[in-house]
Amino acid sequence: MTDLLSLWEKILLELSKTIPRSKMMAGFLHSAILEIEGEKAIIGSARNFYISYIEKAKPQIIEAFAKHNINISSFEIKIDGTLENEKKNQAVDLQSLLRDSKQISKNNADEPLQSRKLPKQSSIKITKEGETYISKILDEGFTFRNFIVGNENQLAFAACQAVANTPGGAYNPLFVYGSVGLGKTHLLQATANEILKKNPNALVVYLPAENFIAEVVDAIQKRKMEHVRKKYRQVDVFVLDDIQFLAGKDRTQEIFFHLFNDLYSAKKQMIFSSDRPPMELQLTEDRLKSRFSMGMIADVKFPGYETRLAIVKLKAREAGILMEDSVHDFIAQNVHHSIRELQGVILQSKAQQDLCGIEPNIEYLEEVFQKLNKGQKIIKQKSKGEIPKNMEEIIESIANYYNLSPKDIIGTSRSSQFMEARQVAMYCIKKHLKTSLQQIGEYFSGRDHTSVLHATKKIEKKIKEDSEFWKKINDIFE
Ligand code: ADP
Ligand code: MG
């Protein structure tokens, strides 16, 4: 097997002298010699669509065999999907092979060509005995396919896909930010998984920043800093999740800064996530903030109703739970914070189904939501787009949305969380009902009509300036 593998490597190198790299990649990725029977070679290819390329190169392949003193008069191409399986390691690592051959020909070296033999993912031992620093934390369950794309995460999704297609290309580093539970880790891991799928020998490192910090702190204590830098300098793709945790870790920031420069100048792809944009990170290394902004910055926001509904349906299907449409709708309506929360509700539903054999229903889910967020007002099914008919209903909807009580909204507290909800309530009443400014003011703890006017103007301005805010307001009455 090994002999056939190295023979195929040599043949592919021969071919690469006359066939352009892109065609080589398109046709000979995941290919191998499966067998040589007399004068017949059986070539394996992982996918059907590679075959035509191999067919076209038939004369060159035969010629290349001859150069290695093997006489082939015919060959057969067999589809063998397992050639894509990195663990089996049967196929030539074409990407590394072509990369090395380019380097060697550049150096004019005359030594025998060998593919870049990186250790396999599962057994990478770069520092200490037994230490493996990849894929273990990579969860193969996170893919692009099981990520629901909506307006709120479309840019981040597209950027991640672009990076997966061309690591180290235009979007380096890629910086994804957004608050907790909105899919950042999912996207980062999906990107890492996709890169590994396309290029199983790439050294892809995914780390939560906390792990990285712990490693650096440990290395500082043991005076092995160079070790860490050397180790991570070797990677092809470096993915660091939740880098806001670098705040206050000055030494780690410094070391990270140098590592960043090493990787950046070597055109190695870096992907970071954080709960806030680069410039808002609390870093003593100001230089790092500007480095983070050198590539592509994309945010993920809390998804609107449509996206949430699609996610509920997907997660329920993944969990194997049967639900009526009205139940899907109920969950999508009542999740206000994160997709993690949504996922929690689905898991509870699954537990109920598995333990009690009951298909999750709205009454049960109402309880689940109450336990999750004490005091949350439950939004019962409402036909979409229906605007409440009176002030009380509008205030109630807004109170639900903001997780406040109607009393807080009409009250006098000037705390900022109440203020926004109150202004939004006044705006919506003015917009949807024919109530006068004076009447509104009276209902809101006897305020003057000018303060109602001021509030509604403020919201109108914000809506014009911030399309996300506009969507948020629309979302309340969905
Ligand atoms: P973050 O890293 O932003 O805190 P995660 O990536 O851990 O969030 O997401 C939390 C959960 O929500 C994960 O299980 C993830 O699969 C799921 N999730 C988030 N956004 C989406 C989406 N758009 N489509 C499918 N699942 C999602
Ligand atoms: Mg995360």
Side-chain angles (χ1 to χ4, degrees), residues 37 39-42 58 62 65 71-76:
E37 296 171 342
E39 290 194 354
K40 181 178 175 188
I42 302 178
K58 226 173 188 173
I62 291 177
F65 269 113
N71 212 1
I72 295 293
S73 55
S74 69
F75 69 77
E76 193 185 318

Side-chain angles (χ1 to χ4, degrees), residues 11 154 205 295 309:
I11 289 172
Q154 199 274 336
V205 172
L309 185 63

Side-chain angles (χ1 to χ4, degrees), residues 227-280:
H227 237 78
V228 173
R229 187 164 162 195
K230 221 165 127 190
K231 165 176 161 182
Y232 287 109
R233 268 167 68 170
Q234 300 181 56
V235 308
D236 294 317
V237 178
F238 187 54
V239 187
L240 203 57
D241 204 354
D242 286 320
I243 56 161
Q244 70 273 11
F245 292 123
L246 288 174
K249 308 285 185 306
D250 296 359
R251 282 284 280 147
T252 312
Q253 283 175 36
E254 189 191 324
I255 283 146
F256 180 58
F257 175 74
H258 293 297
L259 177 64
F260 182 104
N261 291 341
D262 293 340
L263 293 174
Y264 188 80
S265 53
K267 293 206 168 15
K268 301 299 179 66
Q269 179 69 47
M270 288 174 276
I271 313 175
F272 306 118
S273 85
S274 153
D275 65 353
R276 64 200 77 186
M279 286 306 165
E280 287 174 24

Side-chain angles (χ1 to χ4, degrees), residues 146-148 153 181-186 315 339-340 343:
N146 64 6
F147 189 83
I148 302 284
N153 54 29
L182 298 185
K184 300 182 296 296
T185 298
H186 187 134
K315 299 288 176 186
I339 303 307
R340 194 163 294 153
Q343 193 121 306

Side-chain angles (χ1 to χ4, degrees), residues 40-60:
K40 181 178 175 188
I42 302 178
I43 309 292
S45 171
R47 304 252 179 120
N48 227 335
F49 64 81
Y50 296 146
I51 289 186
S52 61
Y53 287 94
I54 304 180
E55 291 274 16
K56 268 193 201 139
K58 226 173 188 173
Q60 285 130 297

